[in-house]
Amino acid sequence: MAVKSVDSVVIGTGPAGEGAAMRLAKAGQRVAVVEAYTQVGGGCTHWGTIPSKALRHNIQLLADYRRNPLFQHTLDQVVIEFPDLLRAADSVITGQVRTLYSDYQRNRVEVLFGRARLVEPHEVEVLRPDGVVERLRASHIVIATGSRPYRPPDVDFSHPRVRDSDTLLRLSHTPRSVTIYGAGVIGCEYASILVSLGAKVNLVDTRDRLLSYLDDEITDALSYHLRQQGVVIRHDEAYATVEAGDDGVVLSCKSGKRFKTDVLLWANGRTGNTQGLGLEAIGLTPNGRGQLDVNQNFQTALPHIYAVGDVAGPPALASVGYDQGRFVGAHIAQGACDWSLIETIPAGIYTVPEISCVGRTERELTAAQVPYEVAHAHFKSIARAQITGHTVGMLKLLFHRETLEILGIHCFGEQASEIVHIGQAIMAQPGSANTLQYFAQTTFNYPTMAEAYRVAALNGLNRLF
Ligand SMILES: Cc1cc2nc3c(=O)[nH]c(=O)nc-3n(C[C@H](O)[C@H](O)[C@H](O)COP(=O)(O)OP(=O)(O)OC[C@H]3O[C@@H](n4cnc5c(N)ncnc54)[C@H](O)[C@@H]3O)c2cc1C
């Protein structure tokens, strides 16, 4: 079989593979990317981030419309089902895919469709959809194959009532009731989406509080608002059985509780996509979560083979995967990367209300005995929030009470994931340039949500004595 030689092969075209391929191409390398799905973009574009966020946006539009007093007399005329809202996401996916194709083309990255498998340390075999097999030889290989929902063997995912985050997107109707097992980011986001659609939602958490790595005040607010919207939250549960039948699906927990609903959404963990990659043939062994262990440069046990994105483990975010890909591209092309990845990664959680934070929580600062103070701004007092009608929310800044250094930014409410970046930029400044005073002494456009920073800064400074 003829073997084609390139400088680097990237397996997977999600954000991590894209970041790596583009960076390598910019450095003048001959790069081939291999994609098993029918289009580029990865799980991120086709069944993860983009469809879920587009779906959420459309449901938000619908909720805003239903709330607006101007349109009350038209409400009866509008019947919108889950698949209609999903279809509205199609144009976003199409737009993203078009942009990606043109980027690959412009940068002369060869895109091969087919399933990739390592057959030798420097050789990748590609099984194309038409059955043809091709071989690529490369000095470096980047594995960016993503992850998939974890499916325990005793749960029957072939039953139409039993879904995970991938298959939920194929629902052909709006379910009347849903039980979500697993209250991580995906579980909480879908709880918000489905309850906004009018479904009865049980959110069954395996832990004692929602998203416990976030600041307590933020997760308290999330629990409160989810409950206000009608979500039933149960903590500290572990499933015993899942029984799906014609009239519903029953989740029975070890505590004796039972939840019967139209649909079960299983959102409890993810597994790295390493199966069928031929890793055993070259002496690489994935860990128990199907992920590849890597060093600080994302090199596997074979230094010319890198792993980035979800397949390399937490935090499993598109935002992070893309940067890891670019980092690795530079590392391969130049032998080192002239910038380092940030350690303080922001979290954006698209629940209703939206949540975003960066930096340390009150719990962490208290444990580390850092003398901090809190600065608050409530959206209900911000003019822009009153104008848009999105008054639920709060910006909270944690700062050092002596140096005024910003230590953490925690926000919930409309646009939280955008708002947090204003503070992130100041928090990332070196030395005394990271100061709460910046927000007290800066003129912001008015009315804007950015004004919340000024309100919070003044609130925080007033607390000092
Ligand atoms: C419901 C949901 C919502 C999310 N929301 C967010 C969010 O709001 N923000 C955020 O930052 N992250 C979010 N994420 C996470 C984000 O989608 C992932 O972190 C991101 O997609 C990981 O990128 P990746 O490049 O590692 O993998 P992926 O995007 O999964 O891409 C991997 C690609 O590799 C291909 N592949 C796999 N095996 C092979 C093979 N053997 N040969 C060839 N190709 C192969 C796959 O077909 C796929 O296209 C969400 C995830 C889910 C499931």
Side-chain angles (χ1 to χ4, degrees):
M1 183 190 307
V3 180
K4 181 171 182 175
S5 283
V6 291
D7 296 319
S8 296
V9 170
V10 178
I11 308 176
T13 61
E18 178 202 342
M22 295 302 172
R23 188 68 187 76
L24 287 162
K26 295 273 184 220
Q29 285 218 345
R30 282 171 307 137
V31 187
V33 296
V34 188
E35 175 51 60
Y37 187 60
T38 50
Q39 291 176 322
V40 294
C44 173
T45 305
H46 297 284
W47 53 86
T49 312
I50 297 296
S52 65
K53 260 77 269 184
L55 179 65
R56 178 193 185 271
H57 175 72
N58 291 319
I59 289 174
Q60 281 282 91
L61 287 180
L62 191 60
D64 283 352
Y65 159 77
R66 284 186 177 142
R67 236 191 1 239
N68 194 324
L70 280 177
F71 303 125
Q72 291 307 305
H73 62 289
T74 65
L75 293 187
D76 289 349
Q77 297 154 31
V78 180
V79 181
I80 295 183
E81 293 284 335
F82 187 73
D84 302 318
L85 293 160
L86 264 183
R87 259 194 303 282
D90 287 351
S91 60
V92 184
I93 296 174
T94 309
Q96 287 288 305
V97 169
R98 195 180 303 126
T99 307
L100 286 170
Y101 275 129
S102 99
D103 286 351
Y104 282 124
Q105 210 171 24
R106 250 200 352 254
N107 289 287
R108 296 172 201 274
V109 174
E110 184 176 2
V111 181
L112 290 168
F113 287 99
R115 188 155 284 280
R117 186 168 70 94
L118 287 138
V119 282
E120 284 184 35
H122 286 274
E123 260 181 50
V124 174
E125 189 178 87
V126 183
L127 173 61
R128 290 194 345 204
D130 58 7
V132 173
V133 175
E134 287 179 69
R135 272 207 187 184
L136 298 165
R137 165 163 274 278
S139 318
H140 293 93
I141 295 166
V142 181
I143 300 176
T145 48
S147 65
R148 62 185 185 283
Y150 169 68
R151 291 183 162 192
D154 56 342
V155 177
D156 178 10
F157 286 90
S158 68
H159 197 284
R161 292 190 185 277
V162 182
R163 306 276 170 155
D164 59 25
S165 61
D166 291 356
T167 56
L168 187 77
L169 299 172
R170 286 179 229 140
L171 266 185
S172 55
H173 63 288
T174 307
R176 275 179 301 123
S177 56
V178 183
T179 296
I180 302 175
Y181 184 72
V185 174
I186 293 174
C188 288
E189 287 187 356
Y190 271 118
S192 287
I193 287 176
L194 292 162
V195 81
S196 303
L197 261 180
K200 288 184 181 154
V201 177
N202 302 313
L203 181 59
V204 182
D205 187 5
T206 56
R207 311 223 172 125
D208 62 355
R209 61 183 296 129
L210 297 180
L211 307 176
S212 52
Y213 55 92
L214 297 178
D215 193 83
D216 289 349
E217 206 173 341
I218 301 291
T219 49
D220 286 348
L222 175 65
S223 303
Y224 171 80
H225 287 287
L226 284 179
R227 287 193 169 111
Q228 281 277 95
Q229 291 159 43
V231 176
V232 173
I233 305 174
R234 291 283 173 259
H235 292 294
D236 282 326
E237 297 288 352
Y239 87 101
T241 57
V242 171
E243 290 158 286
D246 290 344
D247 65 338
V249 51
V250 179
L251 172 80
S252 303
C253 290
K254 289 186 178 154
S255 64
K257 292 193 194 72
R258 284 159 60 87
F259 303 90
K260 182 173 182 182
T261 42
D262 279 353
V263 169
L264 173 76
L265 170 60
W266 192 269
N268 197 33
R270 297 184 67 81
T271 308
N273 287 332
T274 44
Q275 80 296 356
L277 260 184
L279 298 177
E280 55 293 342
I282 55 162
L284 283 181
T285 312
N287 63 26
R289 293 183 154 261
Q291 299 150 354
L292 281 164
D293 296 326
V294 289
N295 66 13
Q296 74 280 10
N297 296 322
F298 300 93
Q299 289 166 298
T300 64
L302 297 176
H304 72 285
I305 301 186
Y306 293 69
V308 281
D310 282 16
V311 76
L317 289 170
S319 51
V320 174
Y322 183 77
D323 287 344
Q324 289 177 351
R326 287 191 58 229
F327 179 95
V328 155
H331 197 263
I332 293 173
Q334 298 154 7
C337 189
D338 54 5
W339 47 274
S340 53
L341 291 173
I342 59 165
E343 279 167 23
T344 313
I345 291 163
I349 299 163
Y350 298 83
T351 41
V352 181
E354 192 168 306
I355 292 174
S356 193
C357 27
V358 61
R360 286 185 278 174
T361 63
E362 287 203 57
R363 220 178 319 123
E364 287 167 342
L365 291 170
T366 304
Q369 300 191 328
V370 177
Y372 70 89
E373 194 44 90
V374 184
H376 278 121
H378 293 277
F379 287 8
K380 64 177 187 244
S381 61
I382 305 292
R384 182 63 179 256
Q386 291 167 355
I387 292 167
T388 60
H390 292 287
T391 49
V392 169
M394 177 193 75
L395 173 67
K396 166 175 167 175
L397 308 177
L398 304 178
F399 63 98
H400 197 290
R401 50 176 304 130
E402 282 137 30
T403 63
L404 303 187
E405 174 193 359
I406 297 172
L407 303 164
I409 303 161
H410 306 274
C411 186
F412 76 91
E414 179 76 0
Q415 300 289 325
S417 60
E418 301 282 357
I419 292 168
V420 80
H421 292 310
I422 301 170
Q424 182 191 27
I426 297 303
M427 202 172 94
Q429 298 303 310
S432 61
N434 171 11
T435 173
L436 188 74
Q437 288 290 11
Y438 171 84
F439 294 113
Q441 295 166 359
T442 296
T443 303
F444 288 105
N445 282 331
Y446 181 84
T448 56
M449 293 309 294
E451 196 211 345
Y453 278 96
R454 182 177 51 76
V455 174
L458 294 176
N459 169 268
L461 291 171
N462 283 338
R463 281 180 209 234
L464 296 177
F465 50 86

